[in-house]
Amino acid sequence: MPWRKKLLGLKEKDITGKYAPDVALTNDLMRTLLQESPEKKELKIYADSKESYFSKDVLEVTNKETIIGQVIVLRNITPFHELNEAKTNFIATVSHELKTPISSIKMSARLLTDNRVGPLNAEQHELIRSITDDSDRLLKITGELLNMSQVETGNIQLKLQPASPLTIVDQAVQAVQFQAQQKHIRIQTRVAENLPFIQADLEKTSWVLINFLTNAIKYSPEDSGIEVTAFRDSNNIEFIVKDQGRGIDEKYLPRIFDRYFKVPGTHDRNGTGLGLSISKEFIEAQGGHIWVNSRVGEGSSFGFTFVLA
């Protein structure tokens, strides 16, 4: 078959009926495919005169509950890589280009409030205040887009500073409140009193919590509830988002933070499969730990942990 020639560089007659480890002795790719690794990484394979990217799944073949073999499935994710690279470059370019004119608009609005330019009436003051607020909001959005491009290029720039767990939770909940209201979902927050500050990037950490909440809202039924908690456990500060959704099959949990991975059956056509993987990179870049607990029919809990300095 054509794929064998392109990927393995072997003809069908050379591998039919052969024991896979024997083939691996003289074939680097086969040897890589047979290796078991706790971390499921993408495979970069040179095929068809170009570099291609594949994700690997291993399915067990059973006979009367006895494992008699395995099937290795490779999924070509090269188009996702190409689209993602184009998207990252576009985001970075547009964000850089937008920051300068937005800053100019903000500066011009500030100059208009100077009495040397001329007096303003109450309505004009209100308009300038609105322009300034919108400019600040746009500058924040472009800043977040630049942060995203840093993550996707592997060049994460952190602004570590003392951050309040309560502030992180409040920012995240406020950002998704409108989405929750549309589905009549109640968001309950439980933040322990007198929590110590953590050393973290406030914007990036809030973004992760927002991502957890957005997913929780997406997969929760209407008129349900979501719980957000932050508490101290020994020398750690834990953040948890728990929903009442349908939950995730246990076999998919090890891959939930992989790039491009989507849980089969979710029918999420608009998602890229990048949100949770980016969240993992944000948290681990700050020295934290990210995790998930879920069971089908019992909802899901996504959380991350920071160690106190």
Side-chain angles (χ1 to χ4, degrees), residues 49-81:
S49 301
K50 68 173 184 177
E51 288 183 341
S52 300
Y53 295 84
F54 295 83
S55 64
K56 182 181 105 173
D57 285 307
V58 179
L59 307 176
E60 293 180 343
V61 180
T62 61
N63 182 21
K64 297 181 180 179
E65 300 182 357
T66 300
I67 299 174
I68 60 174
Q70 291 180 326
V71 175
I72 298 174
V73 180
L74 294 181
R75 185 165 68 100
N76 190 349
I77 57 173
T78 306
F80 289 104
H81 265 272

Side-chain angles (χ1 to χ4, degrees), residues 161-182:
Q161 58 189 356
S164 163
L166 178 60
T167 300
I168 292 171
V169 171
D170 284 346
Q171 283 191 2
V173 172
Q174 289 175 15
V176 301
Q177 199 64 256
F178 179 71
Q179 292 174 260
Q181 289 172 356
Q182 285 185 311

Side-chain angles (χ1 to χ4, degrees), residues 20 127 134 170 192 233 283 295:
L127 287 171
D134 287 341
D170 284 346
D233 180 17
I283 296 303
R295 286 187 178 181

